[in-house]
């Protein structure tokens, strides 16, 4: 017997912008914390936590602790996804924000190798694991909270705003570091200045927490939860755990999401993290010059993401995503050619164009991944697809790029690496279904629970 349930309540006229602001501020803080570590890993952690190594080897070890955060992200995706699909998006987003902020402040208070020896990199790695775990749960919840409040017609535009939290966080982290390196001597920055932006995270978290607590839970999730509880009370039908339901009904979608992330993740960390190493080690530009180029490029990145999201509402998620993947693959070679000139304007053009192309993938990603999965497994599905790919893509990207530079003393192998990732993404997205017209409020009444034994196999994918 199918229970008749009312449709989810429509958001009030002012609620969606408030939800968007809350998600944007939260993701900005989370990405500020995460990217701050990446920039510090390129600039000072090699000297402070691995001082006995060759400079380039120290940078590799520093990036290795950076990669550890990515390893923890799939674990965070599993844990936060499970409870986010069971308890709601809002509760888990509050937890992720507190965990990320606490870990980042802890890094700002860490003793260095000169004080505690080998314990310093161990403590650093532990806090990086907490950062990665928290971020693994943040992304899915933030984009779903917006996607599930908005209407399908403009979902790409609204869901793109939490995505701007990445360039906004990068902008904020790079801006703070750039300001400190501009006003402090190298000695003062290495002695204490690098700690300031990490400790600043505590203030930002309090602001983000206050805003995030003021928003409502997703109406689509509340309606789906009510249907599930009504089914259980009436017929005793228990839902599968979200992870089991995802692997049963959405295996193909998870693989598509993982493939879609390859070029997006790898290109981003090459453009924003590895470039700080490449520009200073190969072309001998100053840290300040490289940071300023990333700062300008991040501002352009922030500006174009909503525009790309809006375009995906008009022409579809797939065409925009494919354009971005092709763009970063082609641009990889001019990117390094421009950086090799050693001119600031060329570095700015290289980073900015690269990030604009990246935005064409990143902008529609929130709506695209949200639309792939049924409501009671959406947090798990979107998070698993996004974060498991980060282990193979974003985690090793700075390490692989730095190793290629050390081996070949050229940016060409790194460009080939980015192009190979772009090909993988083109194949994955090319195999995907277009999702922009999907109604997230549709009642997938069978989703996530055992189907009746009627002689045939029922799945969410077959009913779509």
């Amino acid at each position: 017997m199918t229970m008749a349930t009312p449709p989810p309540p429509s958001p009030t006229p002012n609620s969606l912008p408030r939800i968007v602001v809350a998600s944007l501020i939260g993701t900005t803080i989370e990405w500020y914390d995460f990217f701050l570590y990446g920039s510090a890993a390129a600039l000072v952690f090699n000297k402070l936590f691995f001082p006995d190594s060759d400079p380039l080897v120290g940078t590799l070890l520093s990036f290795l602790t950076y990669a550890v955060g990515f390893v923890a992200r799939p674990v965070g995706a599993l844990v936060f996804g499970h409870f986010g699909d069971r308890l709601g998006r809002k509760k888990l987003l509050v937890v992720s924000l507190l965990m990320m902020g606490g870990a980042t402040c802890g890094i700002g208070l860490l003793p260095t190798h000169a004080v505690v020896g080998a314990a310093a990199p161990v403590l650093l790695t532990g806090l990086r694991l907490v950062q990665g775990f928290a971020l693994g749960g943040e992304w899915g919840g933030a984009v779903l909270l917006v996607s599930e409040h908005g209407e399908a017609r403009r979902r790409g535009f609204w869901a793109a705003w939490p995505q701007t939290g990445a360039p906004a966080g990068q902008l904020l982290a790079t801006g703070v570091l750039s300001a400190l390196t501009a006003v402090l001597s190298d000695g003062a920055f290495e002695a204490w200045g690098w700690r300031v932006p990490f400790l600043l995270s505590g203030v930002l978290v309090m602001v983000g927490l206050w805003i995030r607590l003021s928003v409502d839970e997703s109406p689509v999730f509340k309606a789906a939860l009510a249907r599930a509880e009504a089914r259980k009370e009436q017929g005793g039908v228990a839902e599968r755990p979200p992870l089991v339901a995802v692997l049963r009904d959405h295996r193909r979608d998870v693989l598509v999401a993982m493939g879609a992330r390859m070029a997006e993740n790898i290109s981003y960390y090459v453009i924003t993290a590895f470039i700080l190493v490449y520009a200073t080690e190969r072309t001998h530009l100053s840290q300040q010059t490289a940071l300023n180029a990333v700062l300008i490029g991040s501002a352009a990145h922030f500006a174009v993401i909503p525009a790309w999201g809006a375009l995906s509402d008009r022409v579809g998620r797939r065409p925009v995503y494919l354009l971005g993947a092709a763009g970063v693959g082609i641009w990889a070679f001019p990117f390094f050619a421009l950086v090799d000139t050693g001119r600031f304007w060329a570095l700015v053009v290289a980073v900015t164009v690269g990030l604009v192309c990246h935005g064409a993938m990143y902008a529609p990603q929130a709506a695209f991944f949200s639309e792939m999965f049924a409501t009671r497994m959406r947090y798990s599905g979107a998070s698993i697809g996004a974060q498991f790919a980060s282990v193979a893509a974003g985690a090793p990207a700075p390490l692989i790029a730095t190793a290629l530079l050390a081996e070949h003393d050229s940016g060409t192998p790194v460009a080939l690496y980015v192009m190979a990732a772009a090909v993988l993404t083109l194949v994955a997205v090319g195999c995907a279904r277009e999702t922009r017209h999907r109604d997230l409020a549709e009642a997938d009444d069978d989703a996530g629970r055992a189907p009746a034994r009627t002689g045939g196999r029922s799945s969410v994918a077959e009913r779509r």
Side-chain angles (χ1 to χ4, degrees):
M1 178 177 178
T2 302
M3 293 293 297
T5 55
S10 299
T12 59
N14 295 323
S15 66
L16 184 55
R18 186 170 68 249
I19 295 292
V20 170
V21 170
S23 293
L24 171 57
I25 290 178
T27 54
T28 297
I29 295 168
E30 297 263 11
W31 284 111
Y32 166 81
D33 292 350
F34 204 75
F35 288 142
L36 181 61
Y37 190 103
S39 297
L43 297 175
V44 295
F45 281 176
N46 58 332
K47 303 171 186 175
L48 298 175
F49 292 92
F50 306 98
D52 298 329
S53 304
D54 172 84
L56 200 56
V57 174
T59 300
L60 278 168
L61 293 172
S62 183
F63 275 143
L64 185 60
T65 64
Y66 175 73
V68 163
F70 286 85
V71 176
R73 282 165 68 170
V75 182
L78 291 172
V79 174
F80 280 86
H82 174 84
F83 289 104
D85 282 327
R86 288 298 176 91
L87 304 177
R89 292 41 168 137
K90 177 180 171 179
K91 295 182 180 69
L92 274 297
L93 286 173
V94 169
V95 174
S96 71
L97 188 62
L98 290 173
M99 289 185 68
M100 177 67 88
T104 305
C105 287
I107 292 172
L109 297 171
L110 274 182
T112 63
H113 188 280
V115 177
V116 296
V122 173
L123 292 170
L124 180 67
T125 302
L127 290 173
R128 181 60 174 174
L129 282 169
V130 176
Q131 277 192 324
F133 180 82
L135 190 60
E138 163 68 23
W139 180 84
V143 300
L144 293 190
L145 201 61
V146 175
S147 295
E148 292 179 345
H149 272 85
E151 58 177 342
R153 187 174 59 86
R154 301 192 68 197
R155 185 181 298 126
F157 171 74
W158 288 114
W161 280 102
Q163 299 291 77
T164 64
Q170 178 77 68
L171 196 64
L172 188 59
T174 306
V176 171
L177 285 171
S178 181
L180 287 170
T181 56
V183 300
L184 297 177
S185 65
D186 290 345
F189 182 76
E190 290 181 17
W192 59 269
W194 68 272
R195 298 182 183 273
V196 174
F198 286 93
L199 296 175
L200 179 62
S201 177
V203 178
L204 298 175
V205 165
M206 291 301 103
V207 175
L209 186 63
W210 173 68
I211 295 174
R212 188 160 275 184
L213 287 171
S214 69
V215 302
D216 296 326
E217 181 56 82
S218 156
V220 173
F221 172 80
K222 288 192 288 187
L225 180 61
R227 287 194 298 272
E229 291 176 347
R231 285 194 302 262
K232 185 176 180 179
E233 289 176 4
Q234 185 183 36
V237 181
E239 288 188 302
R240 290 188 179 91
L243 175 60
V244 175
V246 166
L247 295 179
R248 176 185 178 273
D249 294 325
H250 291 281
R251 289 187 297 271
R252 182 177 184 274
D253 294 321
V254 169
L255 291 174
V256 166
M258 291 177 66
R261 287 274 283 170
M262 298 303 290
E264 179 266 305
N265 233 211
I266 289 172
S267 65
Y268 189 79
Y269 291 108
V270 167
I271 293 169
T272 61
F274 171 69
I275 193 62
L276 299 179
V277 175
Y278 188 87
T280 54
E281 294 289 335
R282 179 164 171 79
T283 64
H284 306 294
L285 292 169
S286 68
Q287 292 179 354
Q288 182 68 40
T289 299
L291 284 169
N292 286 343
V294 174
L295 194 66
I296 294 170
S298 295
H301 196 210
F302 181 93
V304 300
I305 285 177
W308 284 124
L311 182 62
S312 79
D313 286 328
R314 297 180 64 87
V315 304
R317 317 299 182 212
R318 292 174 68 252
V320 177
Y321 212 115
L322 291 168
L323 177 64
V328 296
I330 295 170
W331 185 248
F333 295 94
F335 176 86
F336 286 104
L338 286 166
V339 177
D340 284 341
T341 66
R343 297 186 176 92
F344 175 67
W345 68 265
L347 183 60
V348 170
V349 170
V351 171
T352 301
V353 174
L355 288 178
V356 168
C357 293
H358 173 271
M361 293 182 286
Y362 200 55
Q365 189 179 98
F368 191 29
F369 289 8
S370 298
E371 291 158 350
M372 289 181 181
F373 301 95
T375 301
R376 291 287 281 161
M377 60 187 84
R378 187 170 292 134
Y379 202 144
S380 295
S383 297
I384 290 169
Q387 303 306 336
F388 271 73
S390 69
V391 176
L399 281 168
I400 292 173
T402 303
L404 288 171
L405 175 62
E407 178 69 22
H408 300 282
D409 193 30
S410 169
T412 301
V414 183
L416 290 170
Y417 170 50
V418 174
M419 175 170 276
V423 171
L424 285 175
T425 294
L426 287 168
V427 171
V429 177
C431 293
R433 292 181 286 264
E434 181 56 62
T435 62
R436 70 184 172 112
H437 294 302
R438 188 180 180 200
D439 181 4
L440 297 186
E442 65 186 359
D444 290 298
D445 285 331
D446 302 314
R449 61 191 176 95
R453 296 295 181 183
T454 58
R457 182 169 182 258
S458 172
S459 74
V460 175
E462 289 167 350
R463 288 191 304 277
R464 263 183 274 162

